[in-house]
């Protein structure tokens, strides 16, 4: 997986989080598959089409916090992730 400080694309734009569809018990095989990039200041009450219940691993960038909910429209239990 990339480190929190590595979440910068080639053009230097800041990325707050990356969510991945594939995971593995072996660390070097984690953070694979499709990638959902979360830019700073994003507010997404619904996951993009095809992403519901698919995220298996994530990385949150420095100075960012990612809050997720167990149900759609920001309902249910929430959990916060940071670098």
């Amino acid at each position: 997986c990339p480190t929190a400080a590595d979440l910068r694309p080639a053009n230097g734009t800041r990325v707050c989080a990356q969510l991945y569809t594939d995971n593995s018990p072996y660390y070097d095989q984690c953070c694979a598959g499709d990638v959902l990039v979360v830019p700073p200041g994003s507010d997404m009450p619904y996951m993009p089409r095809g992403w519901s219940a698919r995220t298996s691993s994530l990385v949150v960038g420095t100075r960012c916090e990612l809050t997720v909910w167990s149900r759609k429209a920001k309902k249910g239990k929430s959990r916060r992730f940071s670098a």
Side-chain angles (χ1 to χ4, degrees), residues 2-46:
T3 66
D6 289 338
L7 292 187
R8 289 186 180 270
N11 67 2
T13 304
R14 189 166 167 231
V15 173
C16 273
Q18 289 186 171
L19 287 66
Y20 301 88
T21 57
D22 295 345
N23 196 2
S24 170
Y26 302 103
Y27 185 76
D28 62 341
Q29 297 174 17
C30 289
C31 300
D34 294 332
V35 179
L36 177 63
V37 175
V38 181
S42 294
D43 184 13
M44 300 169 63
Y46 299 92

Side-chain angles (χ1 to χ4, degrees), residues 43-47 66-81:
D43 184 13
M44 300 169 63
Y46 299 92
M47 289 297 284
L66 177 71
T67 304
V68 297
W69 285 265
S70 61
R71 298 181 61 209
K72 64 182 178 180
K74 298 183 180 179
K75 294 185 180 178
K77 295 181 181 182
S78 68
R79 182 162 179 185
R80 294 177 186 226
F81 296 91

Side-chain angles (χ1 to χ4, degrees), residues 49-67:
R49 186 172 182 86
W51 273 89
S52 183
R54 287 191 61 211
T55 302
S56 63
S57 53
L58 60 91
V59 176
V60 179
T62 56
R63 295 178 289 148
C64 286
E65 184 175 84
L66 177 71
T67 304

